[in-house]
Amino acid sequence: MVERVAVTPAAAELLRSLRVQHGELMFHQSGGCCDGSSPMCYPAGEFLTGDVDVHLGDLDIGDGGLVPVWMTRAQYEYWKHTHLTIDVVAGRGAGFSLEAPEGVRFLIRSRVLSDDEYAELLAAGTL
């Protein structure tokens, strides 16, 4: 099965720390502008998802914990041909994402799916 999302070791370490502070976590990637297009980390269930959202997968943060990643369906239409990796860099973003007080921000790194990955997702009906 092709994974649509991944996490860097640095971002996984931060997520483990945030989970200790806030409980179970989730990401939502909206299609907004500016920092609204950054992946936002929330306590699980604090951001309500619905029919306008696509569950891209779950991040394995290395201690048995999984963090689900969601994206608006409209944004997904632009990004459905990509694999997304959540990373963390120094600097503060705006918004309500849990990492903001830590002096860092999450960001998305993307790459185009290989032909084989795309064909597998298409055959599975998940595109």
Side-chain angles (χ1 to χ4, degrees):
M1 178 85 170
V2 175
E3 292 187 8
R4 303 298 311 256
V5 293
V7 62
T8 65
E13 181 179 346
L14 177 58
L15 287 166
R16 289 189 298 270
S17 174
L18 290 173
R19 193 173 65 195
V20 168
Q21 297 173 53
H22 302 281
E24 295 303 314
L25 305 171
M26 66 178 289
F27 273 101
H28 190 270
Q29 172 71 43
S30 74
C33 69
C34 308
D35 281 327
S37 60
S38 295
M40 302 294 280
C41 182
Y42 300 102
E46 186 171 298
F47 185 95
L48 298 180
T49 57
D51 291 343
V52 299
D53 300 294
V54 175
H55 178 231
L56 298 176
D58 298 313
L59 303 174
D60 180 349
I61 61 172
D63 63 356
L66 297 175
V67 178
V69 179
W70 295 84
M71 177 182 281
T72 60
R73 190 169 303 282
Q75 187 73 4
Y76 176 76
E77 287 303 314
Y78 291 111
W79 289 28
K80 67 183 176 184
H81 63 283
T82 61
H83 177 274
L84 306 177
T85 300
I86 294 182
D87 199 359
V88 63
V89 296
R92 283 188 42 106
F96 301 104
S97 193
L98 291 175
E99 82 283 3
E102 307 296 323
V104 295
R105 65 184 181 92
F106 288 114
L107 60 83
I108 293 283
R109 298 188 189 280
S110 64
R111 68 168 174 81
V112 175
L113 294 170
S114 71
D115 290 343
D116 289 341
E117 289 171 320
Y118 192 84
E120 185 177 330
L121 290 171
L122 194 58
T126 57
L127 279 180

